[in-house]
Amino acid sequence: MATRSVSQSGDPVEVHQRPWLTTRRVIIIVSTIVFLALFGIPLLNVGYKMVETPSLFLQQVVTGLTKGTYLAIIALGYTLVYGIIELINFAHGEVYMMGAFFSLSLIGLFGLSGESSALALTFGLVGIMICTMTFTAVLNASIERFAYRPLRNAPRLAPLISAIGVSFMLQNVGILWGDHNLWDNLADWTGIDRLTRIGDAMGSNMVAPKSFPSLLPNRQVPFIPDSWFTFTWKSLLVVVVSLSLLGALYAFVRFTKLGKAMRATAQDRDASRLMGINVDLTISLTFLIGGALGGAAGMLVGLYTGTAVFNMGFTAGLLAFTAAVLGGIGNILGSALGGLLIGLLLALSDQYLGSRWSNAVIFAILVLILVFRPTGLLGEEGGQKA
Amino acid sequence: MLQLNDIHTYYGNIHALKGISLHIDQGEIVTLIGANGAGKSTTLRTISGITPPRRGRVLFEDQEINGIPAHNIVKLGISQSPEGRHIFPNLTVRENLEMGAFTRNDKQGIEEDMERAFNLFPRLRERSSQRGGTLSGGEQQMLAIGRALMARPRMLLLDEPSMGLAPVLVDQIFEIVQNINEQGTTILLVEQNALMALSIAHRGYVLQTGEIVLADSAAALRDNEMVQKAYLGIE
């Protein structure tokens, strides 16, 4: 024990000869042996499979990274909010789900389908994305205003529980939203017949997954030969939109006056007030941005996977939150990196180990990384924020 | 210019300021001296609106400012360099200074004041793209003062600018404070280093457990037996 305390405190006064075989090293060696004994052969097998058909491996890498880009966008929502008020916004996954539902409703309302003209689709989808992002931005900021702000000086558990509560409430809203009877009745009361179209888009079963019409071209992009790997216009769109959002956010936080005020507020709230920064507004702004990103991700995922379901926010939220922690929560680039990594791991593990193992693999790797870098991959000592 | 009338400030149930009244005239350096916990910093926080008073009035140029949110008080022309410096550790020196000018929109004026801050503290210019958290204590203090000046305040509140600094730096900081005052900024200076504070101030107040026990010109305070014993270490 004595040697351990010396090595940890790093106190130069107490330096004396340390035995090579410290407790820590023993633990590492033993656990490595146990790990290899248990998983060595399966791992070799996986490695062999990866090399055996490189095209399949490459395909999974591409699929994983595509998935990773939208996970990254969701992860940013967690990381921004955590950076500024040190709250894990458990409702963020549900904001993302609401984004998917809202965009599906608008798609139904405007009657966009695979048969619509390219022009109508382009403008329709861009318009719907803007509406969706506005909707989820306002939703997220309202959640902060009514569920978190009143608890700002309460013990830290209080807003956390409040967040979990909001998350469940929104899941129920998702169930109600998916009930076509609701929309039919609304259409009757208001006399707006168009509302029944939303009901049609939701299908007959309120809790069942909703299907998005296939609006994005599912053809191979021309500049990548089929023989390498499949990469469709749909995937390209997801990647391009996600990366642009990420880039825009990074530039905003890094270079604009408001972005700097966000970082300042994250680092020292009282000092920010002394600078004349309206802290409440800045926090609202953060939730607006996080919500907009979540909504965009919801719509992208809906279009990409073709489905939306009321509890989609839980699974995706968990993965995205993990991504944020993995990369260093509070750090924008770290969270984006974490998202890409998780997407990659997910795809590879789905392919080579079977999807039922994927969560175990992801969290095992998370634990492993946190043991060696407790602040995440890009997180800094004391936690760099936003 | 600034007037406090019977100010009572609380932290929860703790009665931190028990009826403080004081005034600062245009162009003065006024210092608050007192022991730890006497309420010096609380007085500044009350003026800035961070801990608003429960009773009493704060008047700035005859306008009542207690009750105005902290972020709007800066716009009126009062800025503060807080105790413990509180610079933003992950913003660069330049970004820290920019934050000081957050309420202003005159790009050119901000650029001029940035230049002025760099001229006052040449060390900051050398380190302008370095992160605030990597500066030494003295440099951080310079940054905190420079940042407060970026609001182009008419009234500057300085909380313990000499804390934790080497004696050479203390002299330098106080010289600069005097310099800022001569350029037309009124200053309220909170200090534990009473000797230094009284040497540059025009007037001073002595605080003891939330109350003002003495108010006089700086010279008179320096000669006061009680002050000498308690704060100047002269027997």
Side-chain angles (χ1 to χ4, degrees):
Chain A
M1 283 319 284
T3 52
R4 242 186 96 184
S5 71
V6 169
S7 69
Q8 280 186 347
S9 69
D11 196 340
V13 186
E14 284 183 52
V15 169
H16 47 76
Q17 199 65 39
R18 216 163 0 120
W20 183 83
L21 210 58
T22 55
T23 325
R24 194 190 167 118
R25 284 195 173 131
V26 170
I27 293 174
I28 292 177
I29 291 168
V30 169
S31 50
T32 312
I33 292 171
V34 171
F35 180 82
L36 285 180
L38 284 174
F39 299 108
I41 289 173
L43 275 180
L44 274 179
N45 188 23
V46 167
Y48 174 70
K49 278 197 217 153
M50 284 179 181
V51 186
E52 196 184 18
T53 35
S55 64
L56 188 64
F57 176 70
L58 195 61
Q59 179 67 58
Q60 288 308 330
V61 169
V62 171
T63 314
L65 290 179
T66 309
K67 229 177 179 170
T69 55
Y70 67 70
L71 279 176
I73 301 291
I74 310 173
L76 288 178
Y78 285 98
T79 223
L80 283 176
V81 165
Y82 185 85
I84 205 151
I85 57 172
E86 288 179 18
L87 167 77
I88 296 159
N89 182 10
F90 277 113
H92 188 70
E94 275 58 46
V95 169
Y96 148 83
M97 177 271 290
M98 293 306 265
F101 272 59
F102 187 85
S103 60
L104 176 59
S105 305
L106 288 189
I107 288 170
L109 196 64
F110 297 136
L112 288 184
S113 72
E115 279 90 59
S116 309
S117 70
L119 197 71
L121 272 181
T122 314
F123 281 97
L125 287 179
V126 170
I128 289 174
M129 175 146 278
I130 292 169
C131 293
T132 305
M133 287 172 75
T134 314
F135 170 74
T136 48
V138 173
L139 175 69
N140 207 29
S142 320
I143 293 172
E144 188 273 329
R145 177 67 191 79
F146 295 109
Y148 306 153
R149 192 178 299 177
L151 299 172
R152 197 167 298 156
N153 295 319
R156 272 173 98 174
L157 266 182
L160 203 67
I161 299 297
S162 182
I164 294 174
V166 173
S167 154
F168 279 121
M169 274 157 55
L170 286 180
Q171 285 198 20
N172 284 321
V173 171
I175 294 178
L176 287 175
W177 193 314
D179 181 7
H180 73 103
N181 289 321
L182 171 84
W183 297 103
D184 293 349
N185 291 337
L186 266 181
D188 279 348
W189 291 335
T190 56
I192 306 171
D193 278 345
R194 269 182 162 250
L195 287 180
T196 56
R197 290 191 184 186
I198 299 182
D200 294 341
M202 291 301 153
S204 54
N205 184 345
M206 65 198 284
V207 293
K210 319 294 174 198
S211 25
F212 274 67
S214 134
L215 298 179
L216 300 179
N218 219 347
R219 279 171 288 116
Q220 177 78 0
V221 291
F223 46 84
I224 295 171
D226 258 341
S227 50
W228 292 6
F229 51 84
T230 315
F231 194 69
T232 60
W233 283 103
K234 201 159 81 170
S235 315
L236 182 69
L237 197 88
V238 169
V239 172
V240 167
V241 173
S242 300
L243 290 185
S244 337
L245 287 173
L246 171 66
L249 176 77
Y250 183 75
F252 173 79
V253 171
R254 186 100 169 70
F255 300 116
T256 66
K257 190 172 168 184
L258 278 178
K260 287 173 194 168
M262 261 171 74
R263 284 189 283 151
T265 307
Q267 290 165 38
D268 195 324
R269 217 179 282 171
D270 271 354
S272 302
R273 291 164 76 198
L274 287 178
M275 301 301 109
I277 296 168
N278 185 335
V279 166
D280 281 340
L281 263 184
T282 311
I283 292 175
S284 290
L285 174 73
T286 310
F287 275 84
L288 281 173
I289 296 175
L293 292 173
M299 177 168 172
L300 281 179
V301 171
L303 290 172
Y304 181 66
T305 62
T307 57
V309 62
F310 75 95
N311 59 9
M312 68 194 276
F314 177 74
T315 348
L318 196 63
L319 286 178
F321 170 61
T322 311
V325 175
L326 182 70
I329 193 153
N331 181 311
I332 290 178
L333 290 181
S335 302
L337 179 68
L340 289 178
L341 257 178
I342 296 267
L344 194 61
L345 285 174
L346 201 59
L348 291 179
S349 152
D350 278 357
Q351 173 68 38
Y352 294 107
L353 300 171
S355 53
R356 66 187 145 157
W357 299 110
S358 296
N359 279 342
V361 170
I362 286 171
F363 283 94
I365 289 176
L366 173 77
V367 170
L368 214 76
I369 289 180
L370 289 187
V371 165
F372 291 102
R373 284 198 64 92
T375 50
L377 288 174
L378 298 188
E380 293 184 16
E381 209 68 34
Q384 189 197 348
K385 290 164 177 173
Chain B
M1 190 180 195
L2 183 82
Q3 203 172 345
L4 270 62
N5 286 336
D6 193 28
I7 289 293
H8 293 261
T9 302
Y10 292 75
Y11 289 110
N13 288 326
I14 299 162
H15 199 169
L17 298 184
K18 302 166 185 161
I20 298 273
S21 296
L22 54 84
H23 69 97
I24 298 138
D25 295 329
Q26 179 102 39
E28 277 189 309
I29 300 181
V30 172
T31 181
L32 293 182
I33 54 181
N36 260 337
K40 306 184 302 283
S41 295
T42 309
T43 308
L44 294 197
R45 289 167 65 88
T46 299
I47 298 169
S48 283
I50 299 282
T51 52
R54 206 175 279 181
R55 288 203 304 281
R57 306 199 314 155
V58 182
L59 298 169
F60 182 61
E61 296 175 332
D62 299 321
Q63 186 196 352
E64 192 170 316
I65 63 165
N66 47 287
I68 296 181
H71 57 264
N72 287 334
I73 285 181
V74 187
K75 288 183 201 149
L76 300 174
I78 303 179
S79 75
Q80 186 185 146
S81 158
E83 182 185 9
R85 318 191 247 270
H86 282 273
I87 54 144
F88 302 113
N90 287 330
L91 297 188
T92 63
V93 167
R94 181 174 283 276
E95 286 171 333
N96 264 282
L97 292 173
E98 283 171 17
M99 284 299 105
F102 183 78
T103 52
R104 297 169 54 187
N105 285 314
D106 53 324
K107 266 215 165 97
Q108 215 190 333
I110 293 175
E111 214 35 61
E112 280 169 29
D113 284 357
M114 183 92 71
E115 203 48 40
R116 183 182 158 214
F118 284 150
N119 287 336
L120 270 180
F121 306 107
R123 287 302 287 271
L124 295 184
R125 191 197 304 273
E126 289 165 30
R127 307 191 177 250
S128 63
S129 52
Q130 220 169 299
R131 284 212 252 137
T134 63
L135 300 186
S136 73
E139 290 164 343
Q140 290 192 3
Q141 188 59 60
M142 295 174 189
L143 181 55
I145 297 175
R147 189 181 64 173
L149 284 174
M150 289 300 291
R152 204 176 266 187
R154 276 168 294 143
M155 167 125 222
L156 179 63
L157 313 177
L158 291 176
D159 201 343
E160 305 272 10
S162 75
M163 191 160 59
L165 299 189
V168 195
L169 271 174
V170 174
D171 288 347
Q172 206 183 336
I173 294 266
F174 274 89
E175 208 168 292
I176 287 166
V177 169
Q178 217 162 4
N179 194 335
I180 294 166
N181 175 252
E182 276 155 17
Q183 291 175 28
T185 311
T186 310
I187 291 173
L188 177 55
L189 172 67
V190 158
E191 259 300 337
Q192 291 224 29
N193 188 340
L195 189 63
M196 280 309 271
L198 288 174
S199 71
I200 65 163
H202 302 107
R203 289 188 300 117
Y205 293 87
V206 179
L207 253 75
Q208 228 165 55
T209 58
E211 282 168 299
I212 288 178
V213 292
L214 238 116
D216 215 328
S217 74
L221 285 177
R222 256 189 319 234
D223 296 335
N224 183 293
E225 203 177 315
M226 189 275 263
V227 173
Q228 287 189 345
K229 240 189 201 154
Y231 305 109
L232 303 179
I234 302 169
E235 288 296 328

